[in-house]
Amino acid sequence: MPPPSDIVKVAIEWPGANAQLMEIDQKKPLSSIIREVCDGWSLSGSEQFALRYADGPQLYITEQSRSEIKNGTILRLAISPARAARQLLDRIQSHGIDTRLEALKELAKLSADPTFATEFISMEGIGTLARLVESGTHFGEMLAFTLTAFLELMDHGIVSWDLISLSFIKQIAGYVNQPMVDVSILQRSLAILESMVLNSHSLYHRVAQEITVGQLIGHLSNQEIQTYAIALINALFLKAPEDRRQEMASTLAQKHLRSIILNHVIRGNRPIKAEMAHQLYVLQVLTFNLLEERMMTKMDPSDQAQRDIIFELRRIAFDGENDPSGTEKRKAMYTKDYKMLGFTNHVNPAMDFTQTPPGMLALDNMLYLAKLHQDTYIRIVLENSSREDKHECPFGRCAIELTRMLCEILQVGELPNEGCNDYHPMFFTHDRAWEEFFCVCIQLLNKTWKEMRATAEDFNKVMQVVREQITRTLAMKPSSLDQLKGKLRGLSYSEILRLRQSERMSQDDFQSPPIIELRERIQPEILELIKQQRLNRLCEGSCFRKLGNRRRQEKFWFCRLSLNHKVLHYGDLDESPQGEVPFELLTDKIPVSDIKSVVTGKDCPHMKEKSALKQNKEVLEQAFSILYDPDENLNFVAPNKYEYCIWTDGLCALLGREMGSDLTRSDLDTLISMEMKLRLLDLENITIPEAPPPVPKEPSTYNFTYNYG
């Protein structure tokens, strides 16, 4: 007979004594269990003791967290959080340097525990640490552990960052501004300043007064602190008032931030880690977001300065550099030229720029092309003006629509997504990367228009092909604009048609009766093959990032399925692993028989509050949870969409439910198509039905909540 679900078998350690093997009744108060443990070792004053995990982060066990204890867990009897906090606080304030250093080391480790942190903070512990920093008497290891403990304690969100004093900010900023500071101190100082900026509007202004962008850029040559420095630059950029962002961007340009990042980070001598990739992505997004104002600004047809830009476009295309009469012609005489330039409104082309987006940003792009790539601009305009009317590519209309498209593709005006690492190296290779990107794409559009032999009625079709050419090329991550051009040349219209046909052949259901019957015959065995592949991947395991960790010291955990498919093993890791993690290192486990359901997206317990945040959209789409007996859950955020599909498919296969992800359907269709090519040569063995059976409708977007209970 299996043991009751509320009984947990554990081992409990105490220094200098043999471990106790005991059964914990989860219905009994935790204080009673601790009293029993103390009685086993003849220890008095059980209220002064607590239980902690012996492995991993060694967190304290509370009434709220005790349900997470699993069979076979090793626990440790320790002094209570309140007693530990009081002892450490006294030792930190002692006169002995060695005693103080050891106390700060232990505090830096314990501060990650929310139970201990609550007790330590209630004793004015944060104020004590702040005064130690403000005194300026701590250096080296002692200061590093002090800053680590301070950051860990503040990260729990128990107290507000607004309580931080100006003298503390000045002291921390001083460590960043000093030329020779220990790396560990500099890392923690930058992380503390970043948290201040992100968590308090008032502290942003104080930090911005103490830290200059030039000082932060100076730290980018040091590989140990690059990520911290860029993270603080991003935080200052993100929280800056709108009227300050353009000024800050100009300062960053003057200090050559882009070229420094390109040479010391992107083209550095070591691979870019996930956190650095995220910070580069954030910087890319914030830089492009500077275009939002122009993108949302309508042209004022009565503004002479704005109209002069359109006159300049006409002059460069048709009058040449030395024609003094260009701007003196009457407006009526320009109508033909404006038609040749491809504007929709030939009489008053200013009206073409009154829709937002793209607003004035489209006109900015056109002027940049006309002035900086004048030969290309003139060639495009004159080439189209010499074509038949029905085949001319309207430059003005195309430039406006292309600008809108690029804004959508690069999500101009959107907040950065938490956990996203999708940065493009080529945007760090040029000071005017946006404009140069537009210039490359407008030439692509003109080339594709010719290849399609398009007419005005085909405008939308051409734009769809161009969007596909651009998005496919961006997915290849070209390292430079020249490489972008080369990859776009390889994605001609004929190549897009070939790719579409190939994908259609592998995805679409053919309607002929033999194909339908053959597909139905093959599908079960292929689906079983996919299920086995998913289960094999679960047995190999995957590493997941801990959600909510805004600091640079990333935390991870690993989960994998036992080889007999009966138990899920998981546990915390100090760093992302290289290869498989042995089962022995994964201290926690869940029997598959205890799993009640799998939920995804906003139905996950850890997504209940985050689902409304715009910047968490990608996290929401890759979140899933396992709900298991009695009323517990294990929460995941997959590192990417591929891992998300692998795990959710694998869990469905494990529990005997139908898989339904886009990845599964893609795998299924690809394998079926490959198998069909082999078997279609033997169609005479297939019985053809008199009427084709109905094709089962495949599930659409992968979004499910299964209930296995």
Side-chain angles (χ1 to χ4, degrees), residues 530-531 533-535 537-538 542 544 598 600 620-624 636-654 657-667 700-704 706:
I530 293 174
K531 287 182 179 179
Q533 185 269 345
R534 299 293 191 265
L535 292 174
R537 280 286 289 108
L538 263 60
S542 298
F544 300 92
V598 176
T600 64
L620 186 67
E621 291 175 348
Q622 296 174 7
F624 60 99
F636 299 75
V637 174
N640 50 55
K641 190 67 175 177
Y642 178 80
E643 287 291 328
Y644 170 82
C645 292
I646 286 288
W647 272 84
T648 48
D649 281 347
L651 290 170
C652 291
L654 186 65
R657 302 294 177 177
E658 182 182 355
M659 301 184 296
S661 76
D662 293 332
L663 187 59
T664 299
R665 295 204 305 276
S666 175
D667 288 350
S700 55
T701 305
Y702 182 42
N703 184 14
F704 66 89
Y706 290 122

Side-chain angles (χ1 to χ4, degrees), residues 337-365:
D337 290 347
Y338 290 147
K339 182 178 183 299
M340 294 171 64
L341 278 172
F343 289 112
T344 303
N345 191 318
H346 306 153
V347 177
N348 186 7
M351 299 302 296
D352 286 16
F353 301 95
T354 56
Q355 185 176 357
T356 58
M360 290 294 290
L361 185 60
L363 187 59
D364 295 341
N365 286 341

Side-chain angles (χ1 to χ4, degrees), residues 214-233:
Q215 291 162 336
L216 294 176
I217 292 176
H219 291 303
L220 294 181
S221 58
N222 187 334
Q223 293 183 336
E224 300 299 323
I225 56 177
Q226 288 173 340
T227 307
Y228 299 84
I230 294 178
L232 181 52
I233 291 173

Side-chain angles (χ1 to χ4, degrees), residues 402 406 436-446 466 470:
L402 178 64
L406 297 183
E436 290 293 322
F437 184 47
F438 168 83
C439 293
V440 172
C441 292
I442 194 68
Q443 294 178 72
L444 168 72
L445 196 160
N446 188 59
V466 171
I470 293 171

Side-chain angles (χ1 to χ4, degrees), residues 424-443:
H424 295 279
M426 69 175 182
F427 291 131
F428 292 87
T429 62
H430 200 286
D431 289 329
R432 303 292 294 273
W434 165 264
E435 291 86 349
E436 290 293 322
F437 184 47
F438 168 83
C439 293
V440 172
C441 292
I442 194 68
Q443 294 178 72

Side-chain angles (χ1 to χ4, degrees), residues 510-517 520 688-695:
F510 303 114
Q511 299 304 311
S512 63
I515 299 298
I516 292 173
E517 182 170 347
E520 290 176 350
I688 301 178
E690 295 181 1
V695 180

Side-chain angles (χ1 to χ4, degrees), residues 134 145 176 191 252 292 350 360 484 501 620 647 699:
E134 291 169 10
F145 286 122
V176 175
L252 293 174
E292 183 179 14
M360 290 294 290
L484 171 74
Q501 180 67 17
L620 186 67
W647 272 84

